[in-house]
Amino acid sequence: MLYFIGAGPGAVDLITMKGHRLLTEADVVIYAGSLVNPELLNYTKEGCEHYNSAHMTLEEVIETVKKAEAENKMTVRLHTGDSSIYGAIREQIDILNELNIKYQVVPGVSSFCGAAASLGAEYTLPNVSQSVIITRMEGRTPVPERESIRSFAAHKSTMVLFLSSSLTEELSKELVAGGYESDTPVAVVYKATWPDEKIFRCTIETLHKTMVENNITKTALVLVGYFLGNDYERSELYNPNFTHEYRIGKLNE
Ligand code: SAH
């Protein structure tokens, strides 16, 4: 049996209770060493084998899992954040299915949730934005043309950019070309929830300068949109005059 576990964004106690329990029971752990907090390995039992997938190919990961299965061992595949976001789990799942190896996915706290928490921010403010676009700049992994930053920018909604911290010059140009004002607020969260987390607030115009000055080239999220500003409307849900399933509004009493 293999468990894909979302390790959370960084802080060692932001793994789920289920993820933690399975980690303590694992015989083999294959962890994404480039981003997973290595302190999580302290939760594993004595004799548990640790493999850093940063140095491995997909084939080597699968070979490690196959060997563990043959020895009746339980494997944990530890991915950073939540494995559904840029986690490369689908290609593993398809091979596990072919090999008839059982698996289960245990969700984790994605770094974009960790970043919002660190900022005390809400991505979905009434009358500001009710949608979050999670995307990335094209790097060595291509992004479909129809998902260009420019086309998403036209919505001026909340945007979360993964895997893009070394590409902020081009990113800013695309955001403005698509429709955001150049003074739209931006927050860069480096190593969200890690002990050495850093937060930088800027605008689309000053984003690249901010990245260069602070030497941020990886492990950061770029958050864009007016949810970072000061104007919004309060929610209807907690409005005294608003009636819903669990509460009668004052005006309707
Ligand atoms: N599955 C992960 C994302 C993996 S892609 C998740 O759910 O968070 C790797 C990218 O995620 C990094 O390049 C960076 O943009 C972002 N990232 C991961 N952990 C981060 C953290 N603690 N703080 C800021 N960005 C992070």
Side-chain angles (χ1 to χ4, degrees), residues 9-10 35 80-87 109-112 115 161-165 189-194 218-221:
L35 282 166
T80 178
D82 181 74
S83 57
S84 69
I85 310 272
Y86 306 113
V109 178
S110 178
S111 58
F112 84 92
L161 288 127
F162 282 77
L163 298 159
S164 304
S165 28
V189 185
Y190 169 76
K191 293 191 85 175
T193 80
W194 286 74
K218 58 177 192 172
T219 330
L221 288 170

Side-chain angles (χ1 to χ4, degrees), residues 188-207:
V188 175
V189 185
Y190 169 76
K191 293 191 85 175
T193 80
W194 286 74
D196 53 343
E197 169 189 283
K198 284 185 193 139
I199 292 174
F200 305 97
R201 288 178 185 269
C202 53
T203 63
I204 292 178
E205 192 171 4
T206 58
L207 168 62

